[in-house]
Amino acid sequence: MLPGRKSLAVVTASDVLGSRAHHPQPMARSWSAAFDHADVPEQGTVVVHLQRGLALLDGLQTVPTGGGSSREMIRLVFAGDDAALVPPADLAMTWPYASEPGELSLDKADGSTWWTRRTEAEREIQFAGKQLAKHISQRRRRRAAKLVPPGPIYERFVARFPYFATIDQAKAIRDVLDDLASGHPMDRVICGDVGFGKTEVALRATAAVVLSGKQVAIAVPTTVLVRQHVATFRKRFAPFGIEVGSLSRTNSGAETREVKEGLKSGKLKVVVGTQALASKDVKFAGLGLVVIDEEQHFGAAEKARLSGLAKNVHALWMSATPIPRTLAAGLAGFRDLSVIASPPVHRLPVATRIAPLSDAAIAAALLREQRRHGQSFLICPRIQDLGPMLTRVQSVAPDLRIVCLHGKLPADEIDDRMMSFVEGAADVLLATNIVESGLDIPRANTIVVCWPEKFGLAQLHQLRGRVGRSGIRAFAHLLTDSDSERSEKRLAVLEEFNRPGAGFAISARDLDLRGAGDLLSERQSGHVQVFGPVLYSHLLKLASEKADDRTADLWVPDLNLPVGDMLPASYVQSEAVRLEIYGRTVRCRSEDELDDLEEETSRRFGRLPQAARDFFAAARLRIDCRRRGIIRLDVGSDAVAATFLPGRLRKSKARSLQREGDRVVCTSNGRLPPLAKVEELLDLMDD
């Protein structure tokens, strides 16, 4: 305000739009998660029917119902090629089990081979649910420091991030900051694909804790990743006078002593290290957060030691491809889960190709990348493979500059060779899977993996994530000399899941193939194998919400309506898509969810015909019947009858209603449409 002048107000962008620290990328759209509808079974996969057991979902079959009308049914194939036809509403009791039949034994169609296994597994789930509820309750009762960073300095730290956060990244950061400020120990898994920005989440969590006066320990599986994280963290924290130390086998004795003394005195606020962080002689003055990066590389014993380090402090687990147990723990609510499925701007899928192993194929891939002035990774499974491979490549492509790297080299030599590649002094980095974790070299856009059948799916996906980290199209060549059909199927998964965000899908497939084990102990197998991972997680959640038997809630109202409860094939022509819509319909828990699905269907396929409107009306009625406790509804020409669960039928003074135990009958006008008759009955009961 100046005397004699018009008043002038200066408003910053953050005053209007909000803090950049919490604001996602402008005009960004949320990316669909790898499994948008993980609980919807697909055609050709193995499913588990709650009443009958394991079956193959063969597809849809149209059945005539008389009077020129027909009905679409779900065809389930059981043991001995026996088939059963169930209505689409039965998909509410049908859940995905496995993507491929493999060596699974299907159950008999009458359910006789299923009920013993189901009963035993349900008892275990009830016990596990009570333990889970107890664990969550204890976690909520435990106290931890409320960590809220000072606003201005935290804003300055965030402003040094050179990109806008994606939608999912911003949400994960908000989740973590809310956990830190809650006063309870955080136990959160961040599942984000390679290069999707998990490190930025860890950086902001670290900043929030350090600026609140506490210490942070970041545990990583390899010394190479320790170096990269130390460089990244020092670059971001240096302007704020915050020192970042490291603890690994590459440290000299003097460096190790200095870091340990700094942690014990509280002078050193941030340390990055391998499992050496869990050593008994490492003491912290005021530890506030433990970050475990690439958690899938730590064994159960190592995780137990690191968890001991995080006792009564905040813990953040991060992985692109979490192991089945970790993923299942997140899905079941044992740990909080944040999924970063939105790729950064301009991120392109890595083109994945599977081919026979040959010198010509290796040379062609490497020379192609050299011609476009890029760099390549050449990966072998064993150290003893590196020497012969170097000879082979030099004989067919002598102009390539190749540097060799593996874990048994001296620490200084690893550093020097890695830096020479990063600085562009070499065209090819010939290495073992030591480069699997966390390396970020934007100029490297081709990776050749020899003998990929000797790696795990998650390892291959992580290796593929070393390339394609800029806006340039990247290539992953998987060169195999195996004739095994099983190996081909495993590698085909990588071809199938080659889009950005595929890490979560690959982990889910791993969970599908291997099971999660027992979440409450170190047992590697559990009753997830009876129900499958999706239904198991659902039942475990239900069991943890209430102590009584929640599987009794899994029932479907039986509607006998004189209308076609199906989508016309002339409207939705694809059988697989009709099956998907049927599955999504029965998973809707509210009319709002169903309205959204109906609107989406009309956008995809055009204006709904009468038969499709009847289908969604019947689905809406089914939700209403579940809420009221109506297990069966019969609609005839002159009357409507509703059968209730025991004790759910309320008294009514309406004279047109006839009550017979748990069943009520209402006479109706024969000229009314069927759904109008039902509405009349429900209105009378409400009155």
Side-chain angles (χ1 to χ4, degrees):
M1 301 286 290
L2 298 174
R5 299 282 185 92
K6 289 183 178 179
S7 58
L8 175 70
V10 178
V11 182
T12 67
S14 60
D15 291 328
V16 178
L17 301 175
S19 162
R20 183 180 169 184
H22 308 289
H23 197 67
Q25 175 181 316
M27 302 299 289
R29 64 185 180 88
S30 183
W31 189 271
S32 298
F35 275 103
D36 283 334
H37 311 291
D39 55 357
V40 176
E42 297 178 3
Q43 186 173 347
T45 61
V46 177
V47 297
V48 54
H49 189 283
L50 269 175
Q51 302 296 335
R52 299 170 182 265
L54 295 184
L56 181 69
L57 201 164
D58 196 38
L60 300 174
Q61 183 171 325
T62 304
V63 178
T65 55
S69 61
S70 60
R71 190 174 184 187
E72 200 158 42
M73 306 288 278
I74 311 292
R75 189 172 192 269
L76 300 177
V77 178
F78 292 88
D81 285 335
D82 289 341
L85 297 178
V86 299
D90 253 37
L91 286 173
M93 306 183 72
T94 308
W95 297 72
Y97 186 85
S99 300
E100 296 175 2
E103 300 175 2
L104 288 173
S105 297
L106 302 180
D107 285 296
K108 291 184 178 179
D110 61 2
S112 57
T113 57
W114 162 246
W115 275 97
T116 304
R117 299 202 324 275
R118 171 180 163 168
T119 304
E120 181 186 349
E122 280 180 350
R123 281 199 298 268
E124 290 284 338
I125 283 179
Q126 288 303 312
F127 173 76
K130 289 175 183 175
Q131 294 295 103
L132 174 58
K134 183 179 176 183
H135 168 85
I136 292 172
S137 174
Q138 287 176 344
R139 201 175 88 195
R140 286 174 180 163
R141 283 201 301 269
R142 290 207 312 267
R143 309 302 300 174
K146 289 186 179 182
L147 303 176
V148 181
I153 191 169
Y154 179 74
E155 294 276 352
R156 281 171 48 212
F157 178 86
V158 170
R160 293 182 60 79
F161 182 48
Y163 312 102
F164 281 101
T166 62
I167 294 282
D168 290 342
Q169 200 180 17
K171 184 180 183 305
I173 291 167
R174 276 199 308 275
D175 291 342
V176 169
L177 293 179
D178 289 345
D179 288 348
L180 292 173
S182 68
H184 305 287
M186 172 173 66
D187 191 9
R188 182 170 292 276
V189 179
I190 303 291
C191 179
D193 215 342
V194 284
F196 274 33
K198 298 186 298 296
T199 303
E200 181 61 23
V201 178
L203 279 162
R204 296 198 193 184
T206 301
V209 172
V210 170
L211 296 174
S212 302
K214 293 285 187 177
Q215 293 171 299
V216 178
I218 299 113
V220 297
T222 65
T223 55
V224 172
L225 194 52
V226 168
R227 283 187 174 80
Q228 177 141 339
H229 271 355
V230 167
T232 302
F233 277 67
R234 280 177 178 167
K235 184 178 178 182
R236 289 290 292 277
F237 282 102
F240 303 93
I242 296 170
E243 189 181 345
V244 178
S246 69
L247 265 184
S248 70
R249 66 179 177 84
T250 61
N251 289 37
S252 67
E255 288 172 335
T256 300
R257 283 193 297 275
E258 184 182 352
V259 168
K260 289 179 180 178
E261 287 169 6
L263 293 174
K264 189 174 182 180
S265 66
K267 181 183 176 184
L268 185 62
K269 293 295 184 182
V270 182
V271 62
V272 183
T274 56
Q275 55 183 314
L277 288 171
S279 301
K280 291 181 180 178
D281 59 344
V282 177
K283 307 291 183 185
F284 292 86
L287 184 62
L289 171 67
V290 175
V291 179
I292 300 172
D293 196 10
E294 304 288 355
E295 67 83 25
Q296 75 274 13
H297 289 295
F298 291 100
E302 293 166 339
K303 286 180 186 174
R305 286 199 296 272
L306 290 169
S307 296
L309 187 68
K311 195 172 184 181
N312 290 327
V313 300
H314 301 286
L316 184 64
W317 307 71
M318 303 197 303
S319 176
T321 49
I323 63 168
R325 183 189 296 265
T326 302
L327 181 58
L331 293 173
F334 197 79
R335 286 195 172 107
D336 296 318
L337 177 68
S338 294
V339 178
I340 303 177
S342 312
V345 180
H346 307 311
R347 176 63 56 88
L348 298 171
V350 177
T352 304
R353 295 169 180 173
I354 300 171
L357 178 64
S358 69
D359 292 355
I362 296 171
L366 300 180
L367 289 171
R368 181 185 182 280
E369 188 60 45
Q370 185 198 37
R371 283 195 298 273
R372 61 176 188 166
H373 308 292
Q375 294 174 287
S376 304
F377 293 102
L378 178 57
I379 307 299
C380 295
R382 301 176 304 173
I383 294 175
Q384 54 263 45
D385 297 326
L386 298 179
M389 181 57 67
L390 179 61
T391 305
R392 289 172 66 173
V393 176
Q394 286 177 333
S395 67
V396 292
D399 294 338
L400 289 174
R401 298 170 299 166
I402 303 173
V403 63
C404 214
L405 191 70
H406 57 79
K408 289 193 175 178
L409 290 169
D412 292 342
E413 186 72 17
I414 290 176
D415 243 4
D416 292 343
R417 295 189 185 190
M418 179 59 72
M419 289 313 298
S420 71
F421 183 68
V422 170
E423 290 167 1
D427 301 311
V428 179
L429 181 64
L430 173 59
T432 58
N433 65 330
I434 189 175
V435 301
E436 173 187 334
S437 301
L439 292 180
D440 189 357
I441 305 172
R443 197 172 5 188
N445 285 299
T446 290
I447 184 166
V448 180
V449 182
C450 302
W451 302 287
E453 64 275 5
K454 295 182 180 178
F455 293 99
L457 275 183
Q459 285 180 307
L460 290 171
H461 181 67
Q462 290 274 7
L463 286 168
R464 181 171 62 182
R466 297 311 106 215
V467 297
R469 301 174 82 93
S470 61
I472 299 171
R473 170 69 72 184
F475 297 89
H477 300 269
L478 309 179
L479 305 182
T480 177
D481 59 6
S482 171
D483 297 329
S484 165
E485 183 181 345
R486 187 168 183 175
S487 293
E488 285 180 15
K489 280 187 176 179
R490 286 179 65 255
L491 296 178
V493 171
L494 285 169
E495 277 192 312
E496 178 186 351
F497 297 133
N498 73 332
R499 63 193 180 280
F504 190 75
I506 288 172
S507 291
R509 176 65 63 88
D510 209 15
L511 178 61
D512 173 3
L513 294 172
R514 293 165 51 193
D518 187 344
L519 300 180
L520 301 168
S521 73
E522 292 306 314
R523 281 192 297 162
Q524 294 297 309
S525 62
H527 286 290
V528 65
Q529 291 165 338
V530 176
F531 288 115
V534 180
L535 179 56
Y536 176 81
S537 297
H538 180 70
L539 293 177
L540 189 58
K541 264 186 181 174
L542 290 177
S544 66
E545 286 167 3
K546 285 192 179 180
D548 55 356
D549 182 13
R550 301 295 292 174
T551 53
D553 284 353
L554 297 171
W555 57 276
V556 183
D558 183 11
L559 305 186
N560 292 311
L561 302 171
V563 295
D565 189 5
M566 60 182 281
L567 291 169
S570 58
Y571 178 60
V572 181
Q573 297 176 2
S574 168
E575 182 179 324
V577 175
R578 289 202 306 279
L579 183 62
E580 178 207 331
I581 295 174
Y582 291 153
R584 291 175 61 188
T585 301
V586 299
R587 295 286 185 260
C588 290
R589 292 289 168 232
S590 68
E591 292 188 5
D592 287 342
E593 289 180 20
L594 191 59
D595 289 342
D596 290 342
L597 178 57
E598 185 175 2
E599 184 183 344
E600 179 193 323
T601 305
S602 67
R603 284 200 312 269
R604 290 171 68 183
F605 304 103
R607 185 177 176 183
L608 272 68
Q610 185 59 49
R613 288 200 295 272
D614 288 344
F615 167 76
F616 282 107
R620 207 167 276 108
L621 178 59
R622 200 170 276 113
I623 292 173
D624 197 15
C625 286
R626 270 191 62 86
R627 186 169 60 246
R628 294 170 181 270
I630 298 174
I631 57 174
R632 182 182 174 93
L633 193 65
D634 297 286
V635 181
S637 56
D638 299 316
V640 180
T643 306
F644 286 76
L645 288 170
R648 294 291 296 274
L649 177 57
R650 295 181 302 171
K651 291 183 179 180
S652 175
K653 296 179 181 179
R655 294 181 179 178
S656 55
L657 295 180
Q658 302 170 23
R659 179 165 176 169
E660 303 168 3
D662 290 317
R663 188 168 182 262
V664 64
V665 179
C666 171
T667 55
S668 61
N669 185 338
R671 290 191 297 271
L672 284 175
L675 294 172
K677 294 177 185 177
V678 175
E679 191 175 342
E680 183 182 45
L681 166 66
L682 299 179
D683 287 344
L684 285 170
M685 296 188 61
D686 288 340
D687 292 341

